[in-house]
């Protein structure tokens, strides 16, 4: 078969009841077949098994969950790149197609699972991202060996660095990354608060398919009007990283910086509750810069404030009520990126009502923070079960899922109607074998049943 970029050849042989298949590609694909059959299969198998045998072996609910668990590690392993050109460390990508690049918040999410493979790998991936910090502290949201973007993404690296430290106790690592992490948060403070009220705003673009790439929620209805807003998720991510930086500073003996970042956390926490909490709906909303009014699109982004520890106990209780309400976020598969009672739901298109597991995992941590242990466990149990269901059906883990759990993710829209059969060279669909869900799934299974916040 000759594709756009490569020639492929497939052959099989059966000997002693065992069938071996060889797939090769390149200009001389056919000539490579014999080298595949001559490979030392037992040696290859031994090397593969050696990787899996070194992984944590938790208690599984069933054989299918065990299969899912090792599939997740296989995905994560395949998303690691070696140093290349301007990238000096091992680094990770969310998927081999279509993204291929290193992404800011993806890097943080990957460390959640990567630390169970190797804390050194997790540390290197964070340092790989920080390597591209500009002199003024700006961090691009996407980096390739020969290119980088001009916008940023949710500040999550301080949280990731602290979580990796908790797994390995390497204070030298925290000392190494502390200043770059401080510079990046300072850049957010200096450059993403146009109205000077202490709350940050994402950069909004004039692209209907990606109004706000900085938020990571490309086509969310939150930004359909292309207005600049004080944003619930940006405030939450920034607050959480400020709090993590304060904790890091305490660990490495920087008392002045510890006090500074704690005060900044308290300040943004106060502002978020003053300006983003709607006491009528008992919910957090974005607030428009133009007129100071709430932009009442209920989205999963608001639960980031639960994760960040911004809510009071009473506010957390109200957020959980919204989370459990089947008319809002308590859908068959929670948490939809847009509430089920919003006029844009359900479009089954990316961030317009489907389920993204980063919001589920961070909300899970937020629920545990406020003592909602049963709700936290129920949310992640459901997440793992549905990931397992579609893995057993389709053989892959997906980028996002149907909140009604009725449609296979392969048929969900990704800024356009999904093609059948799968033709990624023509149009990308929900990404297959995605690193985020793999990372969160293994971390939850490993830590399931442990007391306290992970």
């Amino acid at each position: 078969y000759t594709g756009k970029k490569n020639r492929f050849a497939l052959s099989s042989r059966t000997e002693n009841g065992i069938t071996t298949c060889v797939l090769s590609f390149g200009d001389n694909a056919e000539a490579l077949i014999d080298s595949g059959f001559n490979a030392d299969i037992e040696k290859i198998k031994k090397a593969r098994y050696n990787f899996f045998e070194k992984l944590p072996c938790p208690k599984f609910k069933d054989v299918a969950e065990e299969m899912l668990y090792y599939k997740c590690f296989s995905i994560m392993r395949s998303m690691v790149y070696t140093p290349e050109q301007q990238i000096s460390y091992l680094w990770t990508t969310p998927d081999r197609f279509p993204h291929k690049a290193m992404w800011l918040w993806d890097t943080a999410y990957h460390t959640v699972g990567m630390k169970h493979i190797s804390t050194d790998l997790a540390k290197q991936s964070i340092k790989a991202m920080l390597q591209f910090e500009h002199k003024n502290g700006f961090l691009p949201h996407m980096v390739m060996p020969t290119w980088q973007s001009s916008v940023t993404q949710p500040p999550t690296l301080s949280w990731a660095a602290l979580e990796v430290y908790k797994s390995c106790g390497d204070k030298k690592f925290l000392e190494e990354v502390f200043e770059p992490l401080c510079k990046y948060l300072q850049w957010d403070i200096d450059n993403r608060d146009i109205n000077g009220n202490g709350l940050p705003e994402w950069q909004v673009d004039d692209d209907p398919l990606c109004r706000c790439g900085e938020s990571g929620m490309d086509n969310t209805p939150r930004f359909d009007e292309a207005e600049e807003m004080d944003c619930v998720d940006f405030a939450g991510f920034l607050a959480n990283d400020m709090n993590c930086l304060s904790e890091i500073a305490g660990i490495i003996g920087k008392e002045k910086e510890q006090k500074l970042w704690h005060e900044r956390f308290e300040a943004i926490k106060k502002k978020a509750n003053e300006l983003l909490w709607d006491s009528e709906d008992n919910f957090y909303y974005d607030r428009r810069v133009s007129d100071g009014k709430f932009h009442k699109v209920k989205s999963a982004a608001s639960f980031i404030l639960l994760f960040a520890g911004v809510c009071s106990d009473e506010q957390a209780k109200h957020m959980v009520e919204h989370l459990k309400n089947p008319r809002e976020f308590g859908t068959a598969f929670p948490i939809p990126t847009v509430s089920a009672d919003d006029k844009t739901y359900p479009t089954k298109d990316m961030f317009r009502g489907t389920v993204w597991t980063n919001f589920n995992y961070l909300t899970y941590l937020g629920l545990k923070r406020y003592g909602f242990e049963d709700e936290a466990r129920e949310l992640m149990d459901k997440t793992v079960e549905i990931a397992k269901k579609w893995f057993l059906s389709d053989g892959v883990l997906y980028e996002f899922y149907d909140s009604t759990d009725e449609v296979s993710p392969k048929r969900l829209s990704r800024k356009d109607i999904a093609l059948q059969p799968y033709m990624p060279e023509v149009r990308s669909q929900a990404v297959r074998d995605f690193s985020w869900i793999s990372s969160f799934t293994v971390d939850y299974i490993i830590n399931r049943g442990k007391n306290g916040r992970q």
Side-chain angles (χ1 to χ4, degrees), residues 195 197 199-201 227-232 271-278 284-296:
N195 56 2
N197 68 351
L199 293 175
E201 305 89 23
E227 283 202 67
E228 290 173 319
M229 298 182 291
D230 296 324
C231 289
V232 290
K271 284 290 184 181
N273 286 319
E274 284 179 357
L275 299 177
L276 303 181
W277 178 256
D278 179 17
Y284 290 102
Y285 291 111
D286 301 318
R287 184 184 285 270
R288 290 191 292 264
V289 170
S290 60
D291 59 12
K293 293 181 179 180
F294 287 126
H295 184 56
K296 290 199 173 185

Side-chain angles (χ1 to χ4, degrees), residues 70-296:
Y70 288 112
K71 169 67 172 180
C72 289
F73 275 113
S74 181
I75 291 170
M76 288 190 291
R77 182 191 191 194
S78 71
M79 302 304 169
V80 179
Y81 283 84
T82 52
E84 182 179 355
Q85 295 190 29
Q86 59 180 334
I87 305 177
S88 304
Y89 301 93
L90 292 170
W91 56 285
T92 61
T93 185
D95 48 87
R96 292 280 182 170
F97 181 87
H99 292 108
K100 304 177 184 178
M102 174 169 58
W103 297 65
L104 199 163
W105 74 340
D106 298 72
T107 295
Y109 294 150
H110 297 167
T111 63
V112 171
M114 288 291 184
K115 67 179 185 283
H116 298 297
I117 299 174
S118 163
T119 53
D120 180 64
L121 171 58
K123 287 184 285 187
Q124 284 203 52
S125 65
I126 291 172
K127 290 193 284 187
M129 190 71 236
L130 289 175
Q131 187 180 1
F132 292 89
E133 184 173 83
H134 294 201
K135 289 182 179 180
N136 64 357
F138 169 80
L139 268 175
H141 89 304
M142 179 172 57
V143 173
M144 298 191 78
T146 58
W147 178 86
Q148 58 181 272
S149 66
S150 59
V151 296
T152 192
Q153 224 173 18
T156 47
L157 292 179
S158 300
W159 166 68
L162 185 58
E163 292 300 305
V164 172
Y165 166 78
K166 291 176 182 177
S167 291
C168 66
D170 186 354
K171 288 176 65 173
K172 185 178 179 181
F173 165 67
L174 292 185
E175 291 168 352
E176 186 176 354
V177 300
F178 181 70
E179 289 303 326
L181 292 172
C182 289
K183 282 181 64 179
Y184 175 54
L185 290 200
Q186 189 63 54
W187 185 90
D188 279 329
I189 293 167
D190 293 342
N191 294 274
R192 288 296 182 267
D193 184 11
I194 58 174
N195 56 2
N197 68 351
L199 293 175
E201 305 89 23
W202 300 117
Q203 178 175 301
V204 181
D205 302 309
D206 190 23
D207 180 353
L209 297 182
C210 189
R211 295 281 190 199
C212 189
E214 279 199 343
S215 72
M217 301 180 74
D218 296 11
N219 66 341
T220 174
R222 294 167 60 204
F223 299 103
D224 280 354
E225 297 172 12
E227 283 202 67
E228 290 173 319
M229 298 182 291
D230 296 324
C231 289
V232 290
D233 48 348
F234 203 166
F237 280 121
L238 188 55
N240 187 66
D241 253 33
M242 287 174 172
N243 205 24
C244 290
L245 266 185
S246 178
E247 189 172 344
I248 290 171
I251 293 168
I252 62 176
K254 292 183 176 290
E255 294 181 5
K256 182 179 177 181
E257 290 86 346
Q258 181 183 14
K259 184 174 182 290
L260 170 67
W261 288 109
H262 177 71
E263 289 174 349
R264 287 181 166 182
F265 165 73
E266 290 295 337
I268 197 171
K269 175 181 176 179
K270 181 180 179 182
K271 284 290 184 181
N273 286 319
E274 284 179 357
L275 299 177
L276 303 181
W277 178 256
D278 179 17
S279 56
E280 281 188 15
D281 295 352
N282 287 320
F283 196 75
Y284 290 102
Y285 291 111
D286 301 318
R287 184 184 285 270
R288 290 191 292 264
V289 170
S290 60
D291 59 12
K293 293 181 179 180
F294 287 126
H295 184 56
K296 290 199 173 185

